Structure formats: C-alpha cells, structure tokens
C-alpha cells in the first residue's frame, strides 16, 4: 500500500482572514483619502496655492502615505510568508519526484500545489511593487506641495 500524500495548500490559512480584513480596511481608507484629496482640490480650485489649500493637501497626502506604508508592511509580510511556503513546496516536490518519479500522480499533485503557491507569491510581489510605486508618487506630490 502506497503512503498517502496531501499536497494541498494549508500554509497561511489561519492568518488569511485577518490579512484580508486588514488589507480591506486599508484599501477602504485609501479610497476615502483619494476622494478627500479630490474634494480638497475642488474646494480650493480657485486658490490652489493658498496656505490653507496647501496645508489641507499636505495633510491628506501624509495620511495617504501612512496608509500605503501600512499596506506595504502587510503585503511584504505576506510575501515573505508565501516565499517560505514556496520554498517548502519546492523541496517537497523534489522529494516526491525522487521518491515516486516525475510522471507520478503524487508528483503532479505536488507540482500543482507548488504552481498555485508560486502564482500567489507573484501576486504579492506585484502588490508590493504597486504599493511602492504609489508611495513614490505620493511622496513626490507631498514634496511639491511642501515646496510651494
């Protein structure tokens, strides 16, 4: 009788709900801050360079930067967690391939688990890169506002 092997994803399930909840809250706050920045821009349309307008814009930009930094911390932590999972699955895939053969049912199952984990890893890498880009843009905007 062959030993059974479950290559299904079990890594990170416990913290998944908390991760999604935290990220959802941050995304909602960022959306609200984007709307607030548009409102500030519209409110001071005729006097965009006034001290009051610049102060209001700077305040919203600082809060947006802070929220994006939180988002980057969360996504980066999830990326690192997923990187560990991918590494573990790669080692397991190699072990199973050696034990059962590259064309075995067990190796195919392990390969699917690895592929799914790797796809998720790429997703988190993309999210981190997008957040870094957003942070750079916000910091640039804040720098322009503060220099006026």
């Amino acid at each position: 009788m062959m030993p059974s092997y479950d290559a299904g994803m079990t890594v990170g399930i416990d913290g998944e709900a908390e991760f999604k909840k935290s990220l959802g809250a941050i995304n909602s706050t960022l959306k609200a801050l984007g709307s607030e920045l548009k409102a500030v821009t519209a409110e001071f349309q005729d006097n965009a360079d006034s001290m009051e307008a610049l102060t209001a814009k700077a305040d919203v930009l600082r809060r947006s930067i802070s929220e994006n930094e939180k988002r980057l911390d969360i996504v980066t932590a999830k990326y690192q967690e997923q990187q560990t999972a991918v590494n573990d699955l790669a080692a397991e895939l190699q072990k199973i391939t050696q034990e059962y053969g590259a064309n075995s049912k067990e190796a195919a199952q392990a390969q699917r688990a690895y592929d799914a984990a790797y796809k998720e890893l790429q997703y988190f890498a993309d999210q981190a890169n997008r957040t870094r880009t957003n942070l750079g843009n916000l910091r640039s905007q804040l720098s322009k506002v503060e220099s006026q």
Side-chain angles (χ1 to χ4, degrees), residues 101-117:
N103 295 323
S104 68
K105 176 181 153 188
E106 293 82 4
Q109 187 177 10
Q111 183 67 55
R112 284 191 300 275
Y114 172 84
D115 291 346

Side-chain angles (χ1 to χ4, degrees), residues 30-84:
L30 287 171
K31 188 179 282 188
L33 286 167
S35 296
E36 187 176 342
L37 186 58
K38 287 179 184 176
V40 166
T41 301
E43 178 182 348
F44 294 104
Q45 182 177 353
D46 295 333
N47 201 7
D49 292 334
S50 72
M51 185 58 86
E52 188 179 2
L54 295 174
T55 300
K57 283 181 187 178
D59 175 58
V60 175
L61 288 169
R62 282 188 196 97
R63 289 185 287 141
S64 295
I65 288 169
S66 176
E67 286 300 308
N68 270 281
E69 287 170 342
K70 289 178 194 174
R71 186 178 198 286
L72 183 59
D73 288 345
I74 289 172
V75 171
T76 299
K78 195 66 173 173
Y79 173 86
Q80 291 168 345
E81 179 183 309
Q82 192 64 24
Q83 180 66 60
T84 300

Side-chain angles (χ1 to χ4, degrees), residues 7 20 27 29-30 48 59 104 118 120 127 137-138 141 143 146-147:
K20 286 182 179 181
N27 289 341
T29 300
L30 287 171
D59 175 58
S104 68
Y118 187 79
E120 194 169 341
Q127 291 301 307
N137 291 340
L138 289 167
Q141 289 177 39
S143 179
E146 289 177 336
S147 68

Side-chain angles (χ1 to χ4, degrees), residues 91-111:
E92 191 66 27
L93 174 60
Q94 184 176 17
K95 177 183 164 191
I96 287 175
T97 300
Q98 289 172 352
E99 187 174 337
Y100 296 104
N103 295 323
S104 68
K105 176 181 153 188
E106 293 82 4
Q109 187 177 10
Q111 183 67 55

